[in-house]
C-alpha cells in the first residue's frame, strides 16, 4: 500500500482552498436565503400597501380624478423605489394608474402577479375587495439591484475575513515550516558520528521542545557511546599485560606454571570487574533502592579485611555512627571493598588505615606514600595507574565512581600528607 506524505505547505494550501470554497459556498447560500427572504418581504409590503390603499379609497369615497391626483403626487415612478399602481372598478369600468396605460383587468381575486410593462419585468400583488381591485408592482431590475447591494454587503466582509484568515494561515505556516526546514537541513548535513547539540532555535514552543528533546537524546547517545568506547579501552588496557605475560610464558620451553596461574587469576578478576562495570550502566539499579544500614555493612566488610591488613602489618581502625542511606547494599559493598583492595595493593609502606563513617560521608585514609599530584588530579580516569608494575586501580576506581554516581554521591581523592584520603560524600 502506497503511503501518501504531505508537506506542511501542501496541507496549508488544502486548508486555504477549503476556507475559500467554504466562504464562497456560505456567501452563495446566504445570497439565496437573502433573495428569498427579501422577495417575501417585498411581496408582503406590496400586499399591505394594496390593502391600505383599497381601504383608504373605500373610506374616502374618492373619485377617479381625486385618486389620479393622489397617485401622481404620492407614488414615485422614476427611481429605485418605483411602484406601478393601478386601481380598477369593474362595475363602473373605470381604472386609474400612476402610469399612462389602458391594460385591462385580466382576472379578479387576491394573488401574486408577474408581468411585462415598458420593457421591464414586474412582480407584485393584486388585492380584490369591496368592488375595487388594486394592483401594485415593483420592477424586477430594481429589486435585483437591491438584492445585489445586500449580497455585496454580505460578500465583502466574508471575503475580507477569508483573505485575512488565509494571510494568517500563510504566516503561521511560514512560522512553523521555516524552523522545521532549518532543523531538517541541519540534521541532513550531519555526519553519523556528529552528536553535538543542534543550533536551530525557534519561537515556536513545540518545535523548540522537539529540538531540545533531540539534543537531549543525542547527548544521551553520546554518553552511551563514550561509555562503550571507554569500556573497550578498559578491556584492552587491563587485559594487555596479563595476556602478554601468559603468552610469553607459554612460548618458553619451561613455562612458569605459577606465573601463568597468577596471571590467569588476574584475568579472571579483571573480567569480573568488567562485568560489574557493564552492569552498572543499566538503569534498573534505581528501581531496587531501599534503606541500607551502612554501619552494619561497613563493620562486616572490615571484619572480612582485618586478616589481610594484619598480614601486611597495617593497623586498621574504624569509627562509625548509625547511618541509613537509600541505595543498593550490594553495590555499596562493592564500592567499599574496591577502595580497600586498592589500599592493600598500593600501600605497602602504610602503617595504619583509618575508616570513619558519619551521616555526611565515609572517609578512608592511610599514611602510605600517597600518589603524585598529577595522578591525584586525574584519578577518576580508568586508565591511570599507581605504578607501572601493579594491576592498576583503573577499573576499580571507575566502578567506584559509577556506583557513587548511581547513588547521587560524590567520590574524591585527596593527599593526606603523607598518604591518601578517599572521601565518599552522601547527598
Amino acid at each position: 500500500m502506497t503511503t501518501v506524505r504531505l508537506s506542511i505547505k501542501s496541507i496549508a494550501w488544502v486548508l486555504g482552498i477549503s476556507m475559500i470554497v467554504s466562504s464562497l459556498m456560505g456567501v452563495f447560500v446566504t445570497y439565496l436565503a437573502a433573495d428569498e427572504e427579501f422577495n417575501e418581504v417585498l411581496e408582503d409590503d406590496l400586499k399591505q400597501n394594496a390593502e391600505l390603499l383599497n381601504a383608504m379609497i373605500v373610506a374616502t369615497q374618492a373619485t377617479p380624478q381625486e385618486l389620479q391626483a393622489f397617485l401622481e403626487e404620492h407614488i414615485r415612478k422614476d427611481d429605485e423605489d418605483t411602484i406601478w399602481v393601478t386601481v380598477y372598478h369593474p362595475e363602473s369600468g373605470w381604472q386609474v394608474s400612476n402610469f399612462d396605460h389602458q391594460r385591462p383587468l385580466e382576472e379578479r381575486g387576491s394573488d401574486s402577479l408577474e408581468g411585462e410593462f415598458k420593457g421591464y419585468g414586474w412582480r407584485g400583488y393584486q388585492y380584490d375587495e369591496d368592488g375595487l381591485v388594486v394592483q401594485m408592482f415593483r420592477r424586477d431590475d430594481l429589486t435585483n439591484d437591491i438584492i445585489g447591494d445586500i449580497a455585496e454587503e454580505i460578500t465583502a466582509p466574508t471575503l475580507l475575513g477569508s483573505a485575512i484568515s488565509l494571510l494568517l494561515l500563510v504566516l503561521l505556516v511560514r512560522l512553523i515550516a521555516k524552523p522545521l526546514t532549518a532543523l531538517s537541513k541541519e540534521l541532513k548535513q550531519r555526519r553519523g558520528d556528529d552528536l553535538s547539540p543542534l543550533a536551530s532555535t525557534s519561537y515556536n514552543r513545540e518545535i523548540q521542545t522537539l529540538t531540545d528533546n533531540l539534543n537531549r537524546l543525542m547527548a544521551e547517545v553520546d554518553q552511551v557511546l563514550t561509555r562503550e568506547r571507554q569500556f573497550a579501552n578498559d578491556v584492552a588496557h587491563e587485559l594487555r599485560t596479563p595476556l602478554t605475560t601468559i603468552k610469553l610464558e607459554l612460548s618458553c620451553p619451561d613455562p612458569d606454571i605459577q606465573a601463568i596461574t597468577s596471571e590467569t587469576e588476574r584475568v579472571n578478576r579483571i573480567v569480573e570487574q568488567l562485568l560489574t562495570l557493564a552492569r552498572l550502566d543499566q538503569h534498573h539499579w534505581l528501581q531496587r533502592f531501599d534503606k541500607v544500614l551502612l554501619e552494619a555493612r561497613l563493620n562486616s566488610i572490615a571484619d572480612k579485611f582485618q586478616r589481610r591488613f594484619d598480614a601486611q602489618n597495617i593497623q586498621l581502625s574504624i569509627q562509625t555512627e548509625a547511618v541509613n542511606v537509600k541505595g543498593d547494599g550490594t553495590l555499596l559493598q562493592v564500592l567499599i571493598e574496591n577502595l580497600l583492595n586498592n589500599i592493600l595493593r598500593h600501600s605497602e609502606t602504610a602503617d595504619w588505615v583509618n575508616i570513619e563513617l558519619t551521616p555526611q560521608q565515609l572517609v578512608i585514609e592511610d599514611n602510605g606514600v600517597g600518589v603524585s599530584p598529577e595522578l591525584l588530579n586525574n584519578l577518576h580516569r580508568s586508565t591511570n595507574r599507581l605504578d607501572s608494575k601493579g594491576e592498576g586501580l583503573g577499573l576499580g576506581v571507575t566502578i567506584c565512581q559509577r556506583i557513587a554516581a548511581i547513588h547521587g554521591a560524590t567520590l574524591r581523592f585527596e593527599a593526606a600528607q603523607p598518604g591518601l584520603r578517599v572521601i565518599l560524600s552522601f547527598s
Side-chain angles (χ1 to χ4, degrees):
M1 183 176 62
T2 304
T3 302
V4 179
R5 294 181 175 86
L6 297 177
S7 66
I8 294 180
K9 291 183 179 180
S10 300
I11 296 174
W13 273 111
V14 172
L15 290 176
I17 294 174
S18 300
M19 290 172 54
I20 295 175
V21 172
S22 299
S23 299
L24 293 177
M25 291 182 61
V27 169
F28 179 70
V29 172
T30 303
Y31 173 78
L32 293 179
D35 178 67
E36 182 178 356
E37 292 293 331
F38 186 69
N39 282 318
E40 289 180 0
V41 169
L42 291 180
E43 184 175 346
D44 289 341
D45 179 64
L46 291 175
K47 179 180 179 181
Q48 292 176 6
N49 287 334
E51 293 176 356
L52 181 62
L53 180 59
N54 180 278
M56 184 193 71
I57 295 172
V58 172
T60 61
Q61 297 294 318
T63 64
Q65 293 78 14
E66 292 173 339
L67 181 59
Q68 182 71 45
F70 175 81
L71 293 179
E72 291 180 353
E73 180 180 356
H74 296 284
I75 304 299
R76 290 173 290 184
K77 59 180 181 180
D78 57 356
D79 57 18
E80 62 183 11
D81 290 329
T82 294
I83 295 179
W84 172 23
V85 180
T86 303
V87 180
Y88 296 91
H89 193 280
E91 294 182 0
S92 60
W94 59 264
Q95 68 180 51
V96 177
S97 177
N98 61 330
F99 284 105
D100 185 15
H101 74 89
Q102 294 298 323
R103 292 170 60 92
L105 178 64
E106 297 180 357
E107 295 182 5
R108 297 196 61 173
S110 299
D111 200 1
S112 300
L113 298 176
E114 291 185 2
E116 295 286 338
F117 181 64
K118 291 185 175 295
Y120 297 104
W122 298 77
R123 184 178 300 176
Y125 187 81
Q126 176 176 289
Y127 184 71
D128 187 353
E129 187 72 27
D130 297 326
L132 292 175
V133 178
V134 178
Q135 293 181 350
M136 283 195 174
F137 294 88
R138 275 195 175 90
R139 276 169 43 182
D140 288 343
D141 62 318
L142 299 179
T143 301
N144 293 334
D145 289 342
I146 296 173
I147 295 177
D149 293 339
I150 295 175
E152 183 179 348
E153 294 296 328
I154 296 174
T155 304
T158 302
L159 293 180
L160 179 61
S162 298
I164 294 174
S165 299
L166 186 60
L167 178 61
L168 292 176
L169 179 62
V170 171
L171 294 177
L172 179 62
V173 169
R174 287 179 59 86
L175 181 65
I176 296 175
K178 186 176 180 180
L180 277 178
T181 302
L183 180 61
S184 177
K185 184 178 180 180
E186 185 175 358
L187 287 172
K188 187 176 181 180
Q189 294 174 346
R190 285 289 184 97
R191 301 188 310 274
D193 59 347
D194 186 1
L195 295 175
S196 59
L198 297 168
S200 298
T201 58
S202 173
Y203 293 107
N204 186 286
R205 182 172 58 186
E206 287 75 12
I207 296 178
Q208 188 59 48
T209 300
L210 174 62
T211 304
D212 294 341
N213 287 335
L214 284 174
N215 285 334
R216 177 186 55 79
L217 178 61
M218 289 193 295
E220 292 178 357
V221 171
D222 187 45
Q223 291 176 2
V224 171
L225 293 178
T226 299
R227 286 199 299 266
E228 294 296 331
R229 287 191 293 266
Q230 185 64 54
F231 182 78
N233 291 335
D234 291 338
V235 172
H237 182 82
E238 297 296 331
L239 295 179
R240 182 184 298 113
T241 300
L243 290 178
T244 301
T245 302
I246 294 174
K247 182 179 178 180
L248 291 175
E249 290 295 334
L250 291 176
S251 64
C252 295
D254 185 17
D256 187 344
I257 301 301
Q258 184 177 358
I260 293 176
T261 301
S262 176
E263 292 302 318
T264 301
E265 293 176 353
R266 180 179 173 187
V267 169
N268 183 61
R269 288 195 302 270
I270 292 173
V271 171
E272 289 179 355
Q273 287 187 318
L274 289 172
L275 290 175
T276 302
L277 193 59
R279 295 190 185 103
L280 290 179
D281 289 335
Q282 300 177 9
H283 297 287
H284 71 274
W285 290 102
L286 295 176
Q287 302 173 2
R288 300 171 53 181
F289 277 6
D290 200 354
K291 287 186 177 180
V292 178
L293 184 58
L294 197 56
E295 176 190 13
R297 290 270 180 173
L298 184 59
N299 286 326
S300 175
I301 295 170
D303 290 340
K304 184 169 64 173
F305 275 78
Q306 183 66 59
R307 181 178 300 177
R308 296 176 60 187
F309 278 100
D310 291 341
Q312 295 186 208
N313 296 319
I314 299 176
Q315 181 182 355
L316 177 64
S317 60
I318 181 170
Q319 297 87 37
T320 62
E321 299 180 24
V323 177
N324 286 321
V325 297
K326 187 176 182 181
D328 184 86
T330 302
L331 292 183
L332 291 173
Q333 182 169 335
V334 170
L335 186 154
I336 297 172
E337 289 181 354
N338 271 344
L339 293 177
L340 294 178
N341 278 325
N342 283 323
I343 290 176
L344 285 170
R345 190 176 302 117
H346 302 289
S347 298
E348 297 88 348
T349 61
D351 296 322
W352 54 264
V353 172
N354 183 52
I355 302 175
E356 181 181 0
L357 175 65
T358 66
Q360 292 76 33
Q361 60 187 16
L362 169 67
V363 180
I364 303 177
E365 182 178 348
D366 66 71
N367 66 338
V369 295
V371 297
S372 65
E374 180 181 358
L375 183 58
L376 186 64
N377 292 331
N378 299 281
L379 202 52
H380 64 280
R381 297 181 181 177
S382 63
T383 54
N384 289 329
R385 295 174 174 274
L386 289 179
D387 53 52
S388 59
K389 300 177 182 178
E391 185 178 329
L393 83 156
L395 283 177
V397 172
T398 301
I399 292 172
C400 293
Q401 292 283 12
R402 293 193 184 175
I403 293 176
I406 289 175
H407 288 78
T410 57
L411 182 66
R412 67 181 189 274
F413 301 85
E414 297 179 353
Q417 297 179 354
L420 181 68
R421 182 183 300 113
V422 183
I423 302 175
L424 177 67
S425 300
F426 308 112
S427 58

